[in-house]
Amino acid sequence: MTHRILLLPGDGIGPEIVAEAQKLLSVLPMAMSVESALLGGVAVDVTGQPLPDETLEKAKAADCVILGAVGGPKWDGLANAQRPEKGLLGLRAGMGLFANLRPAKLYKELEAASSLKPEVVSGLDILIVRELTGGLYFGQPRGIRPATDPVREGEREGFNTYVYCEHEIERIGRVAFEMASQRQGRLCSIDKANVLEVTQLWREVMTRLAPEYPNVTLSHMYVDNAAMQLVRAPKQFDVLVTGNLFGDILSDQAAMLTGSIGMLPSASLNASQHGLFEPCHGSAPDIAGRGMANPLATLLSVALACRYSLDEPTIADRIERAIQRVLASGLRTVDIAQAGQASVSTEAMGDAVVKAFLAAVIEK
Ligand code: IPM
Ligand code: MG
């Protein structure tokens, strides 16, 4: 079977890191067709829209999509509907990608790069399961309007709606329980049930699902405490499941535990396992075009694509092993280099991973 892969390089460092993904794809032992399309600021420049119809159609037809990053100061002044981020959110909604998996794993070679003490983070391996097509990001009504409350008259008010219905909570809950059952069997659901009704319902639905997964132990934690525990004792966690906004925040925090946000891949899946794979970091306009970006989160995202969408788990394992070897050999991009340690370019890092991957194939 030929895998149909769509590349969306996007903005900032996106094209540089996706070029490394393309290099890696070209040596993978599987039949594939690879196409590219426009998303984000670059799409606004060419078509006036951050998510052109053609891009959404191609994404829906693909088996998996590999995305770089979107956004940058050039487009910050645009109206909401035109912002590059809107393109990404539209793609998530349009493809129905409700389940976002963000694994934060600390390679032992990078222990010193973490901002936390080695004894706190060594061996860290957690998975954040973030709901991706609902919650505060998508709730209606939303907007900025003249205030109606007499106390606020003459002012404008900004408002969003935090809403989840039961089926949305249940389907992300099931993904998280499944993931936990394939790992250490510990699932922590993150909410703010002491204040927000929407997360009281979240907690109720998670609790209701638990008896169906007897090999998973479910616990609950308020999001403020979870933020603290992630830096106090992150190894207490195995799998975390949470809503869209809390997941956005906690996953950046978890990324830093692994040494650099440049190391964190992500998989966004829909009900038919088609997915979008992207690094968790942004478009980093400040370093774009300088060959400094770390391509590893994107290359790890290619591994996730092989595992979750393309049913090529052996290739996924080989990519991850190749990356581990490259790190073990001492190669570092600037974000993960120690003070005084030499660093290599985006391209050199990509080349090294390709080489290590091919060497692993020969060994097999
Ligand atoms: C992420 C990003 C996006 C999000 C932005 C770019 C819209 O921060 O994928 O975590 O908030 O989901
Ligand atoms: Mg984010």
Side-chain angles (χ1 to χ4, degrees):
M1 200 182 91
T2 302
H3 301 305
R4 285 159 307 167
I5 300 173
L6 180 68
L7 303 177
L8 301 175
D11 309 317
I13 58 171
E16 296 160 58
I17 53 179
V18 170
E20 298 313 309
Q22 194 163 8
K23 232 191 276 178
L24 177 60
L25 284 168
S26 72
V27 302
L28 299 184
M30 60 190 196
M32 68 187 117
S33 65
V34 181
E35 254 197 295
S36 297
L38 297 171
L39 178 78
V42 61
V44 172
D45 289 350
V46 176
T47 70
Q49 295 299 327
L51 174 59
D53 292 344
E54 191 191 331
T55 299
L56 182 57
E57 287 318 310
K58 281 184 176 172
K60 283 183 173 169
D63 295 315
C64 78
V65 179
I66 310 277
L67 170 71
V70 297
K74 181 174 174 199
W75 305 281
D76 275 349
L78 293 177
N80 248 344
Q82 240 78 55
R83 287 186 63 107
E85 292 81 359
K86 238 347 196 227
L88 176 57
L89 296 174
L91 193 60
R92 289 173 180 171
M95 293 177 70
L97 305 170
F98 68 89
N100 184 217
L101 311 179
R102 298 192 160 185
K105 191 171 160 184
L106 177 63
Y107 288 88
K108 70 175 187 309
E109 293 79 11
L110 295 185
E111 275 172 13
S114 172
S115 45
L116 297 190
K117 295 193 203 85
E119 62 267 31
V120 176
V121 286
S122 119
L124 182 84
D125 183 1
I126 61 185
L127 174 67
I128 296 184
V129 178
R130 168 189 178 192
E131 198 291 327
L132 204 61
T133 51
L136 259 174
Y137 273 54
F138 290 93
Q140 294 289 348
R142 62 191 294 162
I144 298 174
R145 64 187 172 197
T148 45
D149 188 326
V151 188
R152 304 184 196 160
E153 230 186 275
E155 289 186 64
R156 291 177 307 153
E157 60 187 11
F159 59 103
N160 288 88
T161 302
Y162 192 1
V163 58
Y164 271 120
C165 51
E166 288 179 287
H167 86 268
E168 290 176 292
I169 305 171
E170 189 175 321
R171 67 182 180 182
I172 191 70
R174 289 192 183 284
V175 171
F177 274 103
E178 288 294 339
M179 290 289 150
S181 68
Q182 292 160 32
R183 293 170 47 106
Q184 295 168 45
R186 288 180 295 118
L187 176 62
C188 185
S189 170
I190 310 298
D191 61 40
K192 188 70 187 173
N194 50 345
V195 180
L196 303 173
E197 287 83 352
V198 42
T199 69
Q200 286 162 8
L201 182 65
W202 178 282
R203 189 176 279 221
E204 192 187 308
V205 173
M206 290 295 164
T207 307
R208 193 167 75 205
L209 288 175
E212 292 182 44
Y213 301 88
N215 56 348
V216 176
T217 310
L218 173 69
S219 61
H220 305 274
M221 194 180 278
Y222 298 140
V223 62
D224 48 349
N225 186 24
M228 179 177 76
Q229 296 300 334
L230 265 178
V231 288
R232 193 188 73 86
K235 284 189 275 180
Q236 69 185 281
F237 296 112
D238 176 19
V239 180
L240 293 94
V241 62
T242 192
N244 208 339
L245 180 65
F246 296 164
D248 178 47
I249 298 167
L250 295 179
S251 60
D252 265 30
Q253 198 180 337
M256 230 22 240
L257 306 177
T258 68
S260 165
I261 194 161
M263 293 299 300
L264 212 71
S266 82
S268 306
L269 305 174
N270 62 20
S272 51
Q273 299 292 309
H274 282 202
L276 174 84
F277 300 83
E278 55 173 326
C280 290
H281 60 69
S283 59
D286 51 325
I287 60 163
R290 294 166 61 189
M292 287 165 69
N294 183 347
L296 293 181
T298 312
L299 301 180
L300 287 165
S301 299
V302 172
L304 295 185
C306 291
R307 180 167 302 124
Y308 292 121
S309 279
L310 304 180
D311 200 19
E312 301 277 7
T314 323
I315 296 181
D317 291 345
R318 275 185 196 166
I319 295 173
E320 285 165 358
R321 267 204 312 276
I323 289 173
Q324 177 128 35
R325 283 193 190 181
V326 168
L327 290 172
S329 77
L331 225 60
R332 300 284 184 272
T333 43
V334 66
D335 56 313
I336 50 176
Q338 292 297 105
Q341 195 178 10
S343 59
V344 301
S345 68
T346 309
E347 244 190 284
M349 183 58 99
D351 288 341
V353 172
V354 167
K355 207 168 144 205
F357 179 85
L358 292 174
V361 173
I362 292 160
E363 269 166 37
K364 269 269 148 183

